[in-house]
mmCIF file of all heavy atoms in Angstrom:
data_model
loop_
_atom_site.group_PDB
_atom_site.id
_atom_site.type_symbol
_atom_site.label_atom_id
_atom_site.label_comp_id
_atom_site.label_asym_id
_atom_site.label_seq_id
_atom_site.Cartn_x
_atom_site.Cartn_y
_atom_site.Cartn_z
ATOM 1 N N GLY A 144 6.503 -48.362 -106.672
ATOM 2 C CA GLY A 144 7.835 -47.805 -106.863
ATOM 3 C C GLY A 144 7.904 -46.392 -107.383
ATOM 4 O O GLY A 144 8.945 -45.972 -107.882
ATOM 5 N N LEU A 145 6.838 -45.591 -107.269
ATOM 6 C CA LEU A 145 6.920 -44.235 -107.811
ATOM 7 C C LEU A 145 7.444 -43.210 -106.812
ATOM 8 O O LEU A 145 7.714 -42.073 -107.173
ATOM 9 C CB LEU A 145 5.575 -43.786 -108.378
ATOM 10 C CG LEU A 145 4.350 -43.608 -107.489
ATOM 11 C CD1 LEU A 145 4.417 -42.348 -106.644
ATOM 12 C CD2 LEU A 145 3.100 -43.555 -108.357
ATOM 13 N N THR A 146 7.585 -43.577 -105.538
ATOM 14 C CA THR A 146 8.154 -42.651 -104.566
ATOM 15 C C THR A 146 9.614 -42.367 -104.914
ATOM 16 O O THR A 146 10.279 -43.150 -105.597
ATOM 17 C CB THR A 146 8.086 -43.231 -103.148
ATOM 18 O OG1 THR A 146 8.651 -44.550 -103.154
ATOM 19 C CG2 THR A 146 6.651 -43.291 -102.665
ATOM 20 N N ILE A 147 10.110 -41.239 -104.435
ATOM 21 C CA ILE A 147 11.506 -40.865 -104.690
ATOM 22 C C ILE A 147 12.258 -40.748 -103.367
ATOM 23 O O ILE A 147 11.665 -40.522 -102.321
ATOM 24 C CB ILE A 147 11.624 -39.561 -105.508
ATOM 25 C CG1 ILE A 147 10.940 -38.395 -104.775
ATOM 26 C CG2 ILE A 147 11.018 -39.744 -106.872
ATOM 27 C CD1 ILE A 147 11.119 -37.053 -105.472
ATOM 28 N N THR A 148 13.580 -40.910 -103.452
ATOM 29 C CA THR A 148 14.498 -40.938 -102.302
ATOM 30 C C THR A 148 14.011 -41.892 -101.231
ATOM 31 O O THR A 148 13.936 -41.554 -100.044
ATOM 32 C CB THR A 148 14.740 -39.524 -101.713
ATOM 33 O OG1 THR A 148 13.501 -38.965 -101.273
ATOM 34 C CG2 THR A 148 15.382 -38.617 -102.730
ATOM 35 N N GLY A 149 13.675 -43.094 -101.662
ATOM 36 C CA GLY A 149 13.290 -44.145 -100.734
ATOM 37 C C GLY A 149 14.367 -45.206 -100.639
ATOM 38 O O GLY A 149 15.527 -44.974 -100.994
ATOM 39 N N LEU A 150 13.971 -46.366 -100.154
ATOM 40 C CA LEU A 150 14.884 -47.509 -100.029
ATOM 41 C C LEU A 150 14.240 -48.664 -100.784
ATOM 42 O O LEU A 150 13.388 -49.363 -100.243
ATOM 43 C CB LEU A 150 15.095 -47.854 -98.553
ATOM 44 C CG LEU A 150 16.051 -49.011 -98.246
ATOM 45 C CD1 LEU A 150 17.437 -48.737 -98.820
ATOM 46 C CD2 LEU A 150 16.141 -49.226 -96.741
ATOM 47 N N PRO A 151 14.610 -48.852 -102.042
ATOM 48 C CA PRO A 151 13.824 -49.679 -102.971
ATOM 49 C C PRO A 151 13.412 -51.053 -102.476
ATOM 50 O O PRO A 151 12.214 -51.349 -102.436
ATOM 51 C CB PRO A 151 14.730 -49.768 -104.201
ATOM 52 C CG PRO A 151 15.502 -48.499 -104.168
ATOM 53 C CD PRO A 151 15.752 -48.223 -102.716
ATOM 54 N N PHE A 152 14.334 -51.929 -102.106
ATOM 55 C CA PHE A 152 13.955 -53.324 -101.890
ATOM 56 C C PHE A 152 12.988 -53.537 -100.731
ATOM 57 O O PHE A 152 11.912 -54.114 -100.917
ATOM 58 C CB PHE A 152 15.196 -54.201 -101.769
ATOM 59 C CG PHE A 152 15.972 -54.294 -103.056
ATOM 60 C CD1 PHE A 152 17.269 -53.849 -103.124
ATOM 61 C CD2 PHE A 152 15.377 -54.799 -104.198
ATOM 62 C CE1 PHE A 152 17.982 -53.906 -104.321
ATOM 63 C CE2 PHE A 152 16.078 -54.873 -105.395
ATOM 64 C CZ PHE A 152 17.376 -54.426 -105.454
ATOM 65 N N PRO A 153 13.290 -53.089 -99.505
ATOM 66 C CA PRO A 153 12.302 -53.295 -98.435
ATOM 67 C C PRO A 153 11.018 -52.511 -98.665
ATOM 68 O O PRO A 153 9.921 -52.982 -98.348
ATOM 69 C CB PRO A 153 13.028 -52.821 -97.171
ATOM 70 C CG PRO A 153 14.160 -51.993 -97.655
ATOM 71 C CD PRO A 153 14.543 -52.519 -98.994
ATOM 72 N N GLU A 154 11.133 -51.317 -99.235
ATOM 73 C CA GLU A 154 9.947 -50.503 -99.509
ATOM 74 C C GLU A 154 9.048 -51.170 -100.548
ATOM 75 O O GLU A 154 7.838 -51.315 -100.357
ATOM 76 C CB GLU A 154 10.379 -49.118 -99.985
ATOM 77 C CG GLU A 154 9.229 -48.203 -100.350
ATOM 78 C CD GLU A 154 9.692 -46.946 -101.043
ATOM 79 O OE1 GLU A 154 10.893 -46.591 -100.940
ATOM 80 O OE2 GLU A 154 8.859 -46.315 -101.715
ATOM 81 N N PHE A 155 9.643 -51.594 -101.653
ATOM 82 C CA PHE A 155 8.843 -52.193 -102.723
ATOM 83 C C PHE A 155 8.262 -53.538 -102.313
ATOM 84 O O PHE A 155 7.172 -53.910 -102.744
ATOM 85 C CB PHE A 155 9.687 -52.361 -103.986
ATOM 86 C CG PHE A 155 10.196 -51.055 -104.570
ATOM 87 C CD1 PHE A 155 11.134 -51.061 -105.584
ATOM 88 C CD2 PHE A 155 9.738 -49.834 -104.096
ATOM 89 C CE1 PHE A 155 11.595 -49.873 -106.130
ATOM 90 C CE2 PHE A 155 10.211 -48.633 -104.629
ATOM 91 C CZ PHE A 155 11.155 -48.655 -105.646
ATOM 92 N N CYS A 156 8.988 -54.256 -101.473
ATOM 93 C CA CYS A 156 8.476 -55.534 -100.968
ATOM 94 C C CYS A 156 7.191 -55.317 -100.177
ATOM 95 O O CYS A 156 6.192 -56.024 -100.377
ATOM 96 C CB CYS A 156 9.533 -56.213 -100.107
ATOM 97 S SG CYS A 156 8.995 -57.773 -99.376
ATOM 98 N N LEU A 157 7.191 -54.310 -99.309
ATOM 99 C CA LEU A 157 6.010 -54.028 -98.515
ATOM 100 C C LEU A 157 4.878 -53.468 -99.380
ATOM 101 O O LEU A 157 3.699 -53.750 -99.137
ATOM 102 C CB LEU A 157 6.354 -53.052 -97.388
ATOM 103 C CG LEU A 157 7.180 -53.653 -96.247
ATOM 104 C CD1 LEU A 157 7.741 -52.554 -95.352
ATOM 105 C CD2 LEU A 157 6.344 -54.626 -95.433
ATOM 106 N N GLN A 158 5.237 -52.678 -100.363
ATOM 107 C CA GLN A 158 4.218 -52.190 -101.290
ATOM 108 C C GLN A 158 3.543 -53.357 -102.005
ATOM 109 O O GLN A 158 2.317 -53.399 -102.151
ATOM 110 C CB GLN A 158 4.833 -51.236 -102.316
ATOM 111 C CG GLN A 158 5.190 -49.872 -101.755
ATOM 112 C CD GLN A 158 5.692 -48.927 -102.832
ATOM 113 O OE1 GLN A 158 6.252 -49.342 -103.852
ATOM 114 N NE2 GLN A 158 5.496 -47.634 -102.626
ATOM 115 N N ALA A 159 4.342 -54.307 -102.449
ATOM 116 C CA ALA A 159 3.794 -55.482 -103.140
ATOM 117 C C ALA A 159 2.890 -56.286 -102.214
ATOM 118 O O ALA A 159 1.847 -56.814 -102.647
ATOM 119 C CB ALA A 159 4.935 -56.357 -103.665
ATOM 120 N N LYS A 160 3.259 -56.371 -100.936
ATOM 121 C CA LYS A 160 2.413 -57.093 -99.979
ATOM 122 C C LYS A 160 1.065 -56.408 -99.791
ATOM 123 O O LYS A 160 0.027 -57.073 -99.681
ATOM 124 C CB LYS A 160 3.139 -57.220 -98.637
ATOM 125 C CG LYS A 160 4.283 -58.219 -98.637
ATOM 126 C CD LYS A 160 4.891 -58.363 -97.244
ATOM 127 C CE LYS A 160 5.985 -59.425 -97.236
ATOM 128 N NZ LYS A 160 6.549 -59.628 -95.878
ATOM 129 N N LEU A 161 1.073 -55.075 -99.760
ATOM 130 C CA LEU A 161 -0.188 -54.356 -99.613
ATOM 131 C C LEU A 161 -1.054 -54.531 -100.865
ATOM 132 O O LEU A 161 -2.265 -54.735 -100.760
ATOM 133 C CB LEU A 161 0.069 -52.870 -99.350
ATOM 134 C CG LEU A 161 -1.179 -52.009 -99.119
ATOM 135 C CD1 LEU A 161 -2.021 -52.566 -97.971
ATOM 136 C CD2 LEU A 161 -0.792 -50.561 -98.841
ATOM 137 N N ILE A 162 -0.442 -54.474 -102.023
ATOM 138 C CA ILE A 162 -1.183 -54.713 -103.269
ATOM 139 C C ILE A 162 -1.818 -56.100 -103.247
ATOM 140 O O ILE A 162 -2.999 -56.264 -103.567
ATOM 141 C CB ILE A 162 -0.249 -54.558 -104.485
ATOM 142 C CG1 ILE A 162 0.179 -53.095 -104.647
ATOM 143 C CG2 ILE A 162 -0.940 -55.051 -105.761
ATOM 144 C CD1 ILE A 162 1.291 -52.891 -105.666
ATOM 145 N N ALA A 163 -1.027 -57.101 -102.847
ATOM 146 C CA ALA A 163 -1.543 -58.478 -102.804
ATOM 147 C C ALA A 163 -2.703 -58.599 -101.826
ATOM 148 O O ALA A 163 -3.694 -59.290 -102.103
ATOM 149 C CB ALA A 163 -0.416 -59.441 -102.425
ATOM 150 N N ALA A 164 -2.586 -57.913 -100.686
ATOM 151 C CA ALA A 164 -3.653 -57.980 -99.690
ATOM 152 C C ALA A 164 -4.938 -57.330 -100.195
ATOM 153 O O ALA A 164 -6.045 -57.786 -99.883
ATOM 154 C CB ALA A 164 -3.192 -57.306 -98.397
ATOM 155 N N VAL A 165 -4.804 -56.269 -100.973
ATOM 156 C CA VAL A 165 -5.975 -55.633 -101.573
ATOM 157 C C VAL A 165 -6.607 -56.566 -102.599
ATOM 158 O O VAL A 165 -7.828 -56.762 -102.637
ATOM 159 C CB VAL A 165 -5.595 -54.291 -102.232
ATOM 160 C CG1 VAL A 165 -6.756 -53.755 -103.077
ATOM 161 C CG2 VAL A 165 -5.201 -53.271 -101.177
ATOM 162 N N LEU A 166 -5.778 -57.203 -103.406
ATOM 163 C CA LEU A 166 -6.288 -58.068 -104.471
ATOM 164 C C LEU A 166 -6.960 -59.332 -103.922
ATOM 165 O O LEU A 166 -7.956 -59.798 -104.491
ATOM 166 C CB LEU A 166 -5.158 -58.440 -105.430
ATOM 167 C CG LEU A 166 -4.559 -57.291 -106.245
ATOM 168 C CD1 LEU A 166 -3.408 -57.796 -107.110
ATOM 169 C CD2 LEU A 166 -5.610 -56.617 -107.108
ATOM 170 N N ASP A 167 -6.417 -59.886 -102.834
ATOM 171 C CA ASP A 167 -7.026 -61.126 -102.308
ATOM 172 C C ASP A 167 -8.115 -60.848 -101.273
ATOM 173 O O ASP A 167 -8.729 -61.769 -100.736
ATOM 174 C CB ASP A 167 -5.964 -62.076 -101.748
ATOM 175 C CG ASP A 167 -5.299 -61.587 -100.461
ATOM 176 O OD1 ASP A 167 -5.837 -60.683 -99.791
ATOM 177 O OD2 ASP A 167 -4.229 -62.133 -100.116
ATOM 178 N N GLY A 168 -8.348 -59.558 -100.996
ATOM 179 C CA GLY A 168 -9.438 -59.195 -100.111
ATOM 180 C C GLY A 168 -9.122 -59.227 -98.632
ATOM 181 O O GLY A 168 -9.989 -58.932 -97.798
ATOM 182 N N SER A 169 -7.892 -59.544 -98.259
ATOM 183 C CA SER A 169 -7.551 -59.610 -96.835
ATOM 184 C C SER A 169 -7.343 -58.225 -96.220
ATOM 185 O O SER A 169 -7.313 -58.082 -95.002
ATOM 186 C CB SER A 169 -6.303 -60.475 -96.630
ATOM 187 O OG SER A 169 -5.199 -59.949 -97.344
#
Side-chain angles (χ1 to χ4, degrees):
L145 64 75
T146 51
I147 59 175
T148 60
L150 181 58
F152 293 119
E154 178 190 341
F155 298 170
C156 178
L157 287 167
Q158 286 185 332
K160 287 184 177 183
L161 182 56
I162 292 170
V165 170
L166 294 178
D167 69 17
S169 59

